[in-house]
């Protein structure tokens, strides 16, 4: 399991994010405050507070390729 933070500032970034994570078979969750949604759900993402960073939890030990694809969105 890997946990990291991302920032999604535009609708285009949300769409690109969903397109990327949808390619992977393992579960990926997004957490903002006390809300957790499926990262593959565009409607779920839009229910989160996108003004702040969002915590990503990838439920796999082999997610290096995913992290590489999401690198432009990852923040500290």
């Amino acid at each position: 399991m890997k946990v990291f933070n991302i920032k999604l500032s535009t609708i285009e970034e949300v769409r690109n994010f969903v397109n990327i994570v949808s390619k992977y078979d393992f579960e990926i969750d997004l957490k903002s405050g006390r809300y957790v949604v499926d990262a593959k759900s565009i409607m779920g993402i839009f229910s989160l507070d996108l003004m702040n960073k969002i915590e990503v939890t990838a439920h796999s030990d082999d997610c290096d390729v995913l992290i590489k694809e999401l690198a432009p969105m990852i923040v500290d």
Side-chain angles (χ1 to χ4, degrees):
M1 182 169 76
K2 297 277 187 177
V3 179
F4 54 94
N5 293 313
I6 61 167
K7 181 75 171 156
L8 299 172
S9 302
T10 66
I11 294 170
E12 184 70 23
E13 286 180 350
V14 172
R15 189 174 61 80
N16 289 338
F17 175 82
V18 171
N19 287 337
I20 291 169
V21 298
S22 293
K23 298 187 290 187
Y24 295 91
D25 291 335
F26 51 85
E27 295 292 320
I28 304 169
D29 296 326
L30 295 180
K31 180 181 176 188
S32 178
R34 61 186 178 105
Y35 298 102
V36 178
V37 299
D38 182 356
K40 298 174 185 177
S41 167
I42 196 162
M43 293 302 291
I45 294 172
F46 281 120
S47 72
L48 300 175
D49 178 11
L50 298 179
M51 297 302 292
N52 297 313
K53 63 184 178 181
I54 300 168
E55 181 180 290
V56 179
T57 304
H59 298 277
S60 173
D61 292 328
D62 185 28
C63 55
D64 295 334
V65 176
L66 169 67
I67 292 172
K68 190 176 286 188
E69 283 190 79
L70 296 177
M73 302 171 195
I74 295 175
V75 296
D76 291 333

